[in-house]
Amino acid sequence: MGLIKSITILAIIVVLLAGIAIVLSSHGSNAAPITKQQAIQQVLNDVNKNDPGVNATVVNNVSQSGLENDSWAIVVGLIYNSTKPCPSLSIEGFDYPPSLVPESYNTYTYYKRGNCVINGITGTPGENYVINSPYIAIARSFNESYSPIINYVYTNGYSNMVVHAKFYNILPINESGRQMNLSDVWRINYSATDSNSSLYVIMYINGSIVNSYNS
């Protein structure tokens, strides 16, 4: 009798646990869908956790994904060495939830054996493309083998460079004593950590360098 009683009690416990599991599962299935901001934050947290050295930013208008209900299509830009003459820029696409594994991956710029490689921009400056990223602008200016940039970088050392780019709809400049306004240009500042002089390069949005000056 004792054994039968013990088996009966064990069976009741198993049934109760199964009932609790069903209730919890039902509660989870009725949970509110994840919001756009929650999805973005989760993806960025995961990217930064897996690669603490990366500068990760969302680069698209996040919208609901068509792959699965209540999921979001998120495209993240991954930037390495963001202040060097050739930043490395890659793009990852996510469908979250259900997965934090990238659906797609593209590399746009990277530094290899002293050269700045840019994928997706071919031909001569002025063809039908627009540079809409400061990192692409920096890489493009260095990639052009423009002699003032090459001389400044290799005189002071690539690893000593700190480079920033800013876009201007209108940029007033003084050209040979004449004041003029340039439209849709990037101003790229090359500075060496151990130099008192900086190099400024003006480049149109299509990648064509206008001029440069030291300051």
Side-chain angles (χ1 to χ4, degrees):
M1 288 295 294
L3 179 60
I4 295 174
K5 184 176 181 180
S6 297
I7 293 173
T8 301
I9 292 172
L10 180 60
I12 292 172
I13 291 173
V14 170
V15 171
L16 287 174
L17 290 175
I20 292 171
I22 292 171
V23 170
L24 291 176
S25 174
S26 175
H27 177 73
S29 65
N30 294 326
I34 189 169
T35 67
K36 177 169 73 172
Q37 195 55 47
Q38 289 172 333
I40 291 171
Q41 196 58 56
Q42 183 60 46
V43 168
L44 290 178
N45 287 346
D46 188 73
V47 169
N48 287 310
K49 178 182 177 182
N50 290 327
D51 194 348
V54 71
N55 177 4
T57 57
V58 174
V59 296
N60 71 323
N61 293 320
V62 177
S63 59
Q64 286 193 309
S65 168
L67 296 180
E68 188 165 320
N69 291 336
D70 301 322
S71 64
W72 299 92
I74 302 171
V75 179
V76 178
L78 309 176
I79 303 104
Y80 301 86
N81 301 314
S82 60
T83 60
K84 293 304 176 189
C86 186
S88 176
L89 173 62
S90 300
I91 300 293
E92 286 187 348
F94 295 86
D95 184 68
Y96 180 79
S99 174
L100 283 170
V101 177
E103 299 286 335
S104 60
Y105 186 93
N106 291 297
T107 299
Y108 288 94
T109 67
Y110 59 95
Y111 189 62
K112 182 179 181 180
R113 298 175 185 172
N115 295 315
C116 190
V117 180
I118 305 177
N119 295 321
I121 297 181
T122 59
T124 58
E127 293 182 356
N128 295 326
Y129 59 80
V130 171
I131 296 173
N132 56 14
S133 162
Y135 309 106
I136 296 291
I138 292 169
R140 181 68 190 192
S141 69
F142 186 63
N143 175 263
E144 279 298 285
S145 297
Y146 183 62
S147 58
I149 295 176
I150 297 302
N151 292 339
Y152 185 84
V153 170
Y154 289 113
T155 296
N156 294 285
Y158 183 94
S159 61
N160 293 326
M161 289 296 109
V162 178
V163 190
H164 297 281
K166 184 177 180 180
F167 179 74
Y168 292 84
N169 293 117
I170 299 293
L171 178 65
I173 67 167
N174 189 295
E175 180 68 26
S176 301
R178 183 167 61 95
Q179 192 70 24
M180 59 187 296
N181 293 325
L182 296 178
S183 300
D184 297 332
V185 294
W186 289 94
R187 185 169 71 177
I188 303 146
N189 172 213
Y190 285 77
S191 295
T193 55
D194 55 357
S195 174
N196 294 324
S197 175
S198 294
L199 175 68
Y200 289 85
V201 177
I202 312 300
M203 184 175 70
Y204 282 118
I205 198 171
N206 63 12
S208 181
I209 294 178
V210 181
N211 66 4
S212 63
Y213 60 93
N214 291 90
S215 178

